[in-house]
């Protein structure tokens, strides 16, 4: 396959893969092009690598439904923008003494009857927007949104626009009846008057985020939970949030299904509850509920520290003991390890599944077995993390702004086990260094959580290909297996903690700078899995 039109030389002679971003994704991603460095100055190598990049990009584009790029949050923002524009325009006409009603409210009359309102609401609930299609397209075009009218994203925008239109007409009726209790003001003026006292929950989240640098996964989780609260109650001023609303949020999260599939990711919190309300499905575990409520508690706690709130309304909102609902992760048995490393096709037949991200499918489980590191820590390793220290080779688990760790104690240096060296790990590191690669696993996705796709694949692979059907045995079980191996070889507890990145809770652990690389290396090399024979990869020089 020739891909000359996608390959371009630039930046000191290096080649890049470039492809135009589909129009439906430009507004969402903020990018006009997909640009990936091929990391070579050689035309032949660039052409070879471009084939893989092209296949990866096309696979990603196939997974993304370009016709459905309007999320619920985006649709609500479109409708809210229209609603505010209409109400501000109506106020301008009143101030100027111009005739009412405002002419920009198609397709319903201001003086509609209750029957007409009921008919419109019934049509919206059934997803029938034919009567409003022209107006919806006009408004989407006005706001710079281009999306096919037969897509679910368009129907989502139409739903919220129709809903906003009904709200506007109710607001106008109250203005006509003088039932507002005060003179209306423009939305921009009202927000200016509120000042800092008018912090909404989303603004409080932004303030909390700006307080200091936080791990990307933490920011993603906080944004998700705050958005869920907003979907349930609206983006309220934090001064209007009370304990009852936080309890209602907790109860709503408790009703979420544990597994959500298909288009569930695009549904709002109330939509998910309505869909699964009468279904006999497992619900989320208490740990997830505690995490969600904890996010709201933390963001509102920031408001207390900043003097925006006197008290935290999320304080003392209790969640059932999270430990009761948590499944206990179990270590792998010796037979499990043989099934994974001796009988599975990744190790026996050199299989490299697409979702396993090339050689990551081979190396990440082996590294987990002999380092005890977490999946996220292994997925973000770079060639530069491997260094010689005295007579040993160590790999560093770092937090450098682009990469993150779970806790401060997770920052550590782990000696490389002699088994990993025998399997060719250091040869692989040197080969990657020689071709200008920085990541140990270049085929893992570079955006979002790098190991998210790998995590789904490996846990499914353990069940389907290795026959390990115990739900408490997942990738994290490698960490438990390593811990048991440490105990079996009678490593001191402090050494366990140092290797695994656990904080030493003893008083003595507060003194000194910890174990030296020499001591850790001496103990680590004792770790063994009797009877296990991991075959080396057929090719070291492969991504």
């Amino acid at each position: 396959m020739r891909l000359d039109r996608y390959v371009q030389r630039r930046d000191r002679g290096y080649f890049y893969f470039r492809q135009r971003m589909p129009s439906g994704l430009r507004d969402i991603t903020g990018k006009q092009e997909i640009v990936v460095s091929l990391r070579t100055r050689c035309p032949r190598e660039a052409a070879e690598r471009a084939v893989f990049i092209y296949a990866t990009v096309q696979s990603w584009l196939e997974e993304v439904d370009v016709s459905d790029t309007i999320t619920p949050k985006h649709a609500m923002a479109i409708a809210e923008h229209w609603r505010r524009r209409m109400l501000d325009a109506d106020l301008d006409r009143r101030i100027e003494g111009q005739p009412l009603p405002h002419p920009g409210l198609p397709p319903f009359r201001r003086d509609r009857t209750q029957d007409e309102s009921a008919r419109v609401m019934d049509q919206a609930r059934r997803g029938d927007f034919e009567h409003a299609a022209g107006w919806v397209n006009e408004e989407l075009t006005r706001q710079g949104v281009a999306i096919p009218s037969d897509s679910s994203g368009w129907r989502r925008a139409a739903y919220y626009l129709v809903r906003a239109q009904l709200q506007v007409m109710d607001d106008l009726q109250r203005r006509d009846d003088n039932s507002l209790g005060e003179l209306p003001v423009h939305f921009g003026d009202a927000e200016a008057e509120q000042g800092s006292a008018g912090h909404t929950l989303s603004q409080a989240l932004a303030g909390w985020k700006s307080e200091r640098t936080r791990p990307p996964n933490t920011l993603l989780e906080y944004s998700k939970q705050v958005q869920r609260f907003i979907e349930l109650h609206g983006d309220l001023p934090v001064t209007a949030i009370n304990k009852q609303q936080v309890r209602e949020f907790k109860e709503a999260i408790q009703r979420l299904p544990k597994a959500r599939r298909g288009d569930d990711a695009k549904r709002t919190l109330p939509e998910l509850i309505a869909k699964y309300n009468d279904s006999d499905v497992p619900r989320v575990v208490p740990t997830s509920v505690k995490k969600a409520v904890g996010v709201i508690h933390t963001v509102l706690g920031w408001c207390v520290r900043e003097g925006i709130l006197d008290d935290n309304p999320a304080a003392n909102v209790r969640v059932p003991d999270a430990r009761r609902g948590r499944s206990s992760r179990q270590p792998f048995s010796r037979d499990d390890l043989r099934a994974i490393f001796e009988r599975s096709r990744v190790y026996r037949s050199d299989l490299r599944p697409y979702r396993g991200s090339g050689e990551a499918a081979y190396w990440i489980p082996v590294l987990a077995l002999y380092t005890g590191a977490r999946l996220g820590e292994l997925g973000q390793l770079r060639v530069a993390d491997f260094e010689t220290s005295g007579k040993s080779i160590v790999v560093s688990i770092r937090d450098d702004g682009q990469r993150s760790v779970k806790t401060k104690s997770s920052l550590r240096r782990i000696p490389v086990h002699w088994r990993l060296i025998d399997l060719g790990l250091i040869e692989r590191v040197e080969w990657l260094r020689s071709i200008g690669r920085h990541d140990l696993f270049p085929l893992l996705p570079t955006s979002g959580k790098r190991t998210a796709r790998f995590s789904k694949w490996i846990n499914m692979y353990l069940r389907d290909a290795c026959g390990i059907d115990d739900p408490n045995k997942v990738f994290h079980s490698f960490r438990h297996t390593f811990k048991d191996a440490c105990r079996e070889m009678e490593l001191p507890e402090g050494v366990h903690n140092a290797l695994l990145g656990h904080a030493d809770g003893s008083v003595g652990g507060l003194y000194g700078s910890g174990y030296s690389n020499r001591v850790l290396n001496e103990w680590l090399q004792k770790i063994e899995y009797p009877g296990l024979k991991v075959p080396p990869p057929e090719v070291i020089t492969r991504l």
Side-chain angles (χ1 to χ4, degrees):
M1 178 189 299
R2 293 190 62 82
L3 300 171
D4 296 347
R5 67 191 182 97
Y6 295 106
V7 178
Q8 182 183 74
R9 187 196 293 265
R10 69 180 200 188
D11 291 357
R12 294 173 297 171
Y14 281 96
F15 284 93
Y16 283 75
F17 175 91
R18 298 180 63 184
Q19 180 176 341
R20 291 279 292 173
M21 184 75 72
S23 59
L25 288 175
R26 288 175 199 160
D27 289 337
I28 303 303
T29 62
K31 298 181 181 295
Q32 298 294 316
E33 291 183 311
I34 300 168
V35 181
V36 181
S37 173
L38 297 174
R39 299 185 180 182
T40 182
R41 292 189 178 99
C42 173
R44 181 181 58 80
E45 288 185 355
E48 292 175 354
R49 294 176 187 180
V51 173
F52 175 81
I53 297 296
Y54 176 82
T56 303
V57 169
Q58 300 315 305
S59 175
W60 174 70
L61 291 176
E62 288 174 5
E63 291 179 4
V64 176
D65 183 359
V66 178
S67 68
D68 192 24
T69 51
I70 294 183
T71 63
K73 184 177 181 180
H74 190 188
M76 284 188 278
I78 290 171
E80 179 63 11
H81 178 78
W82 176 87
R83 186 181 75 88
R84 292 186 174 208
R85 196 173 78 243
M86 290 298 103
L87 291 175
D88 282 350
D90 173 79
L91 180 56
D92 285 337
R93 293 178 71 84
R94 292 173 188 268
I95 293 172
E96 296 296 331
Q98 296 180 20
L100 298 174
H102 188 276
L105 286 172
F108 309 127
R109 301 190 308 275
R110 283 275 299 277
D111 59 345
R112 73 194 189 284
T113 65
Q114 288 187 345
D115 288 343
E116 286 176 309
S117 296
R119 175 178 56 80
V120 170
M121 287 188 284
D122 184 59
Q123 287 173 323
R125 291 191 184 100
R126 290 186 285 106
D128 177 8
F129 304 108
E130 185 176 355
H131 58 286
W135 166 65
V136 169
N137 286 330
E138 205 173 285
E139 183 57 29
L140 291 177
T141 300
R142 181 188 179 98
Q143 296 197 33
V145 178
I147 190 167
S149 58
D150 60 349
S151 66
S152 57
W154 185 93
R155 290 191 293 274
R156 183 175 293 119
Y159 173 84
Y160 282 106
L161 279 168
V162 169
R163 184 170 177 263
Q165 194 171 64
L166 294 170
Q167 291 172 339
V168 163
M169 286 187 282
D170 286 339
D171 291 336
L172 295 180
Q173 187 64 52
R174 285 196 295 273
R175 286 182 179 181
D176 292 342
D177 296 342
N178 195 27
S179 59
L180 290 175
E182 60 183 14
L183 288 175
V185 296
H186 287 88
F187 282 96
D189 296 335
E191 288 166 358
E193 286 179 8
Q194 285 179 341
S196 61
H199 267 78
T200 63
L201 186 60
S202 62
Q203 290 170 334
L205 174 64
W208 175 84
K209 286 181 177 180
S210 65
E211 190 175 45
R212 62 181 175 85
T213 302
R214 304 179 192 276
N217 292 341
T218 300
L219 297 178
L220 187 64
E221 179 65 24
Y222 271 62
S223 296
K224 181 177 74 174
Q225 300 302 347
V226 167
Q227 177 59 28
R228 281 178 167 174
F229 189 96
I230 291 171
E231 289 169 353
L232 185 66
H233 294 303
D235 194 8
L236 300 172
V238 292
T239 53
I241 297 175
N242 56 46
K243 192 177 291 292
Q244 180 58 33
Q245 290 164 337
V246 179
R247 289 197 189 99
E248 289 171 1
F249 175 68
K250 177 193 74 172
E251 292 164 1
I253 296 295
Q254 288 175 322
R255 291 160 61 190
L256 283 175
K258 185 176 182 180
R260 298 182 286 279
R261 298 182 177 85
D263 63 351
D264 283 353
K266 303 169 186 175
R267 298 180 187 273
T268 63
L269 178 58
E271 289 170 347
L272 283 170
I273 292 172
K275 178 181 176 181
Y276 290 99
N277 192 47
D278 298 323
S279 302
D280 185 18
V281 296
R283 307 293 170 171
V284 296
V285 297
T287 304
S288 299
V289 182
K290 186 175 183 179
K291 182 186 295 184
V293 175
V295 166
I296 306 304
H297 182 276
T298 300
V299 174
L300 295 177
W302 175 86
C303 295
V304 174
R305 292 198 305 274
E306 293 295 310
I308 301 168
L309 288 176
D310 294 329
D311 300 296
N312 190 335
N316 300 319
V317 175
R318 301 297 182 188
V319 177
D321 187 354
R323 291 171 295 181
R324 294 179 184 176
R326 183 185 303 164
S327 61
S328 177
R329 302 305 186 203
Q330 297 296 317
F332 292 120
S333 67
R334 289 290 182 264
D335 191 56
D336 292 334
L337 294 179
R338 282 190 284 271
I340 297 167
F341 294 108
E342 295 179 6
R343 299 196 293 270
S344 76
R345 292 178 62 197
V346 165
Y347 294 90
R348 188 193 71 217
S349 306
D350 204 43
L351 173 70
R352 298 294 182 266
Y354 165 72
R355 293 188 179 276
S357 300
E359 290 303 289
Y362 176 95
W363 284 107
I364 287 182
V366 171
L367 278 163
L369 185 65
Y370 284 102
T371 65
R374 301 176 178 91
L375 176 57
E377 295 170 344
L378 296 173
Q380 63 187 9
L381 285 178
R382 294 177 180 168
V383 171
D385 295 330
F386 291 83
E387 303 168 304
T388 300
S389 175
K391 296 182 180 180
S392 62
I393 300 173
V394 298
V395 57
S396 298
I397 307 297
R398 307 178 192 268
D399 180 355
D400 55 11
Q402 295 178 328
R403 299 179 288 175
S404 61
V405 293
K406 185 174 182 180
T407 61
K408 186 176 180 180
S409 62
S410 299
L411 299 170
R412 62 198 188 279
R413 304 178 88 194
I414 308 173
V416 177
H417 196 281
W418 66 271
R419 287 280 187 188
L420 294 173
I421 297 174
D422 270 5
L423 292 173
L425 176 63
I426 304 307
E427 294 174 54
R428 172 179 171 78
V429 169
E430 293 304 323
W431 171 72
L432 288 169
R433 186 177 281 125
S434 71
I435 64 172
R437 293 284 185 170
H438 300 292
D439 293 328
L440 185 60
F441 304 112
L443 301 189
L444 287 176
T446 55
S447 60
K449 188 174 181 180
R450 295 201 68 189
T451 53
R453 183 179 71 188
F454 184 92
S455 176
K456 292 178 182 178
W457 168 77
I458 186 64
N459 288 325
M460 185 178 298
Y461 187 80
L462 290 173
R463 290 194 301 272
D464 298 342
C466 303
I468 302 172
D469 53 8
D470 186 340
N472 294 323
K473 293 183 178 180
V474 293
F475 182 89
H476 198 71
S477 296
F478 283 117
R479 196 162 161 84
H480 291 264
T481 305
F482 180 85
K483 182 75 172 179
D484 277 358
C486 289
R487 294 189 181 105
E488 189 69 21
M489 296 300 156
E490 300 182 347
L491 272 65
E493 189 70 21
V495 174
H496 296 198
N497 293 333
L499 292 172
L500 287 164
H502 286 154
D504 191 335
S506 67
V507 174
L510 301 175
Y511 292 83
S513 57
Y515 292 94
S516 68
N517 292 328
R518 179 187 61 80
V519 173
L520 290 178
N521 185 56
E522 288 177 359
W523 282 109
L524 179 75
Q525 302 306 334
K526 298 176 184 292
I527 292 177
E528 196 52 272
Y529 301 95
L532 181 65
K533 297 179 181 179
V534 181
E538 292 186 6
V539 182
I540 295 292
T541 55
R542 184 170 56 187
L543 297 180

